[in-house]
Amino acid sequence: MRVLIYGAGVQGRFLAHALNSTNNDVTLFARNETKRILEENGIKLKHTIQNKVTHDHFNLIDSLEENDIYDVIFVTMKYSDFYNVVPSLSKNNSKNIVFVGNNANPQALYKSVEEESTVVKNIGFGFLMTGGEKIDDYATVLRFNKGEFKVGFSKQSKTLNQVLDHTFENVSMKLTYQKQFDEWLLSHAAFILPLNMATVVREQNGMNNKLLKETVAAYNEIYRLIENNGYALIPKAPAFLFKHFKRTSAILIKLLFKSGLLYQAKGSTKELDALYLDFKKLSNNTAISTVNLDSLYQQTMSVSE
């Protein structure tokens, strides 16, 4: 399978590593300094839990032409950057695209690609159950077991399903087809948004009880927004915890901060901004107050300036 990983951040590098098999010819899209570093050093990953280092070399490109045909393109960029690459992807004649990562509104992205594309495309959405961070010429990867790739479709595509099955056929990473994936992605975005914003604020101002209480309250607001707009929470457990066990929730958040794990799952400020604005669109349809979520957002933007 000819596979293009469009984006060379932590997720893109790990996905390239994970799909590196005799079945797959993997190419990585990277630009500027990132491309130079990868050309010189290859992809070096430090797997935190497994306590090992892997080193791979892949084909690298920095432009996507109309007739550069791939069996599947995985777009591994921040949510805030997805729409910036839609024109390039739409002009390319590859038919199978999977957008990988946080996404609070898959339907809108699907529609954008569909409207701009010159050929009919099969579009899916995926999520790598990993974290990590780029450090100099390598990246750390936080994963359990061999890693897991969740995928779903806004509109079912038998063709893309078959392509993904073949792409993951001889790799060790688990491929999971997630039902109600749009709602799973929305629920996941709700889970990471308050925590990530609190992480940014804590880095600048330190941890205090006010920030903990505000974060727990923001969770309750955002989960109510989802339910009041008619979406299912998948899974339901986090919302139940934050609603009925507020003190326990605050303790767990504090422990997560102390563990340092959050720094390997932290989103960029631009991505947090894009996710927040999507949730604020949901609030336009309800009378639910989001005063705590709004406060976290304002603090995050303030310390990030």
Side-chain angles (χ1 to χ4, degrees):
M1 303 294 286
R2 292 198 72 216
V3 177
L4 175 63
I5 312 294
Y6 198 110
V10 175
Q11 301 292 310
R13 296 181 197 194
F14 175 67
L15 186 57
H17 163 76
L19 294 180
N20 191 14
S21 73
T22 54
N23 272 5
N24 298 327
D25 177 15
V26 178
T27 297
L28 196 64
F29 183 100
R31 284 179 173 164
N32 305 324
E33 184 67 8
T34 298
K35 184 172 183 285
R36 185 192 67 77
I37 290 173
L38 295 180
E39 285 175 334
E40 290 182 1
N41 304 303
I43 293 182
K44 184 178 178 182
L45 300 175
K46 292 187 177 182
H47 304 259
T48 304
I49 295 175
Q50 291 74 21
N51 192 29
K52 71 173 186 177
V53 176
T54 56
H55 203 168
D56 303 293
H57 290 270
F58 298 99
N59 301 322
L60 293 167
I61 62 171
D62 58 8
S63 64
L64 183 63
E65 302 301 325
E66 181 179 349
N67 290 314
D68 292 341
I69 309 298
Y70 294 90
D71 294 300
V72 60
I73 299 176
F74 295 96
V75 185
T76 57
M77 310 184 81
K78 298 293 186 185
Y79 177 49
S80 49
D81 294 326
F82 278 162
Y83 287 92
N84 295 334
V85 301
V86 166
S88 176
L89 294 169
S90 298
K91 291 175 184 176
N92 177 262
N93 287 325
S94 302
K95 294 183 178 180
N96 300 300
I97 302 174
V98 180
F99 289 92
V100 183
N102 293 315
N103 193 334
N105 195 345
Q107 290 287 347
L109 185 56
Y110 180 97
K111 185 177 181 181
S112 177
V113 177
E114 190 177 45
E115 289 177 348
E116 291 195 36
S117 293
T118 54
V119 298
V120 176
K121 296 187 185 296
N122 305 305
I123 302 167
F125 298 93
F127 197 91
L128 268 173
M129 304 300 287
T130 59
E133 58 182 330
K134 286 194 293 185
I135 304 173
D136 299 325
D137 64 341
Y138 70 93
T140 63
V141 175
L142 181 67
R143 62 179 173 86
F144 296 97
N145 300 317
K146 300 295 184 180
E148 181 182 5
F149 187 84
K150 287 183 178 289
V151 66
F153 311 102
S154 290
K155 292 184 179 179
Q156 194 63 38
S157 170
K158 185 177 180 180
T159 300
L160 181 53
N161 193 306
Q162 292 172 341
V163 167
L164 290 174
D165 285 344
H166 194 49
T167 303
F168 283 80
E169 189 173 7
N170 289 321
V171 303
S172 56
M173 184 167 61
K174 181 181 179 182
L175 174 65
T176 301
Y177 289 99
Q178 176 70 48
K179 294 180 180 179
Q180 296 176 272
F181 197 52
D182 285 15
E183 290 172 306
W184 187 94
L185 283 171
L186 185 63
S187 300
H188 180 79
F191 180 75
I192 63 103
L193 182 58
L195 198 57
N196 272 255
M197 292 195 296
T199 300
V200 174
V201 175
R202 175 181 178 270
E203 284 180 342
Q204 295 295 320
N205 301 335
M207 176 52 69
N208 54 64
N209 288 332
K210 180 179 180 294
L211 179 59
L212 281 172
K213 290 179 180 179
E214 202 166 46
T215 304
V216 173
Y219 270 113
N220 282 298
E221 292 169 351
I222 205 167
Y223 285 133
R224 286 180 64 205
L225 271 182
I226 292 174
E227 289 186 311
N228 276 265
N229 275 273
Y231 298 109
L233 291 169
I234 305 173
K236 295 181 179 180
F240 183 85
L241 176 68
F242 283 108
K243 182 177 180 179
H244 298 286
F245 300 96
K246 294 181 177 63
R247 182 175 294 182
T248 302
S249 299
I251 292 171
L252 289 174
I253 291 171
K254 197 170 184 178
L255 289 173
L256 277 172
F257 282 134
K258 288 185 176 181
S259 73
L261 294 177
L262 290 178
Y263 296 102
Q264 297 203 48
K266 188 175 70 171
S268 70
T269 303
K270 281 180 62 180
E271 183 172 46
L272 297 179
D273 179 54
L275 292 172
Y276 169 80
L277 293 176
D278 274 346
F279 279 108
K280 287 304 290 181
K281 291 176 184 175
L282 291 183
S283 71
N284 293 335
N285 302 324
T286 73
I288 294 172
S289 169
T290 57
V291 60
N292 293 284
L293 183 67
D294 297 342
S295 176
L296 277 181
Y297 171 75
Q298 291 159 6
Q299 293 175 70
T300 300
M301 295 300 114
S302 176
V303 299
S304 300
E305 290 177 352

